[in-house]
Amino acid sequence: MTRHKRERFKQLRRAYGTQDKVGAAVGVTGTMIRYIENGNATPSGKLMLKLSFLFDTPVNELFPDVEMEAQSEAVLDALR
């Protein structure tokens, strides 16, 4: 998996507050938020939805790299 920094996520997180504050709001650590923000971790679907609701932003806008990977996998599956 290629690491993708999530700039929109980072922008919205900064507007909301610290990584620790965002983590507390969605039930994870600030460290996990940092990993997600820097593309070192991909959150579960449930956590993606929590973050989407917290930031009032569509999941695909917060995690465009995840959407691209899913589309690529779907194309590869269709070609098999």
Side-chain angles (χ1 to χ4, degrees):
M1 182 174 101
T2 305
R3 188 179 122 167
H4 298 276
K5 286 199 175 207
R6 298 175 174 121
E7 294 302 325
R8 180 69 176 142
F9 182 94
K10 187 174 187 175
Q11 178 186 35
L12 292 167
R13 191 274 303 158
R14 282 183 171 166
Y16 189 87
T18 65
Q19 292 166 339
D20 288 334
K21 183 177 178 183
V22 171
V26 296
V28 298
T29 65
T31 300
M32 182 60 166
I33 296 300
R34 182 174 65 249
Y35 288 165
I36 292 168
E37 193 173 291
N38 290 324
N40 293 325
T42 297
S44 67
K46 185 175 180 178
L47 183 52
M48 283 186 203
L49 288 174
K50 286 182 178 182
L51 291 162
S52 173
F53 286 121
L54 181 69
F55 296 140
D56 192 27
T57 303
V59 170
N60 64 332
E61 190 175 319
L62 290 176
F63 306 102
D65 55 301
V66 174
E67 181 181 35
M68 288 186 308
E69 285 178 20
Q71 288 174 352
S72 294
E73 287 178 20
V75 167
L76 290 174
D77 287 345
L79 294 173
R80 291 184 187 145

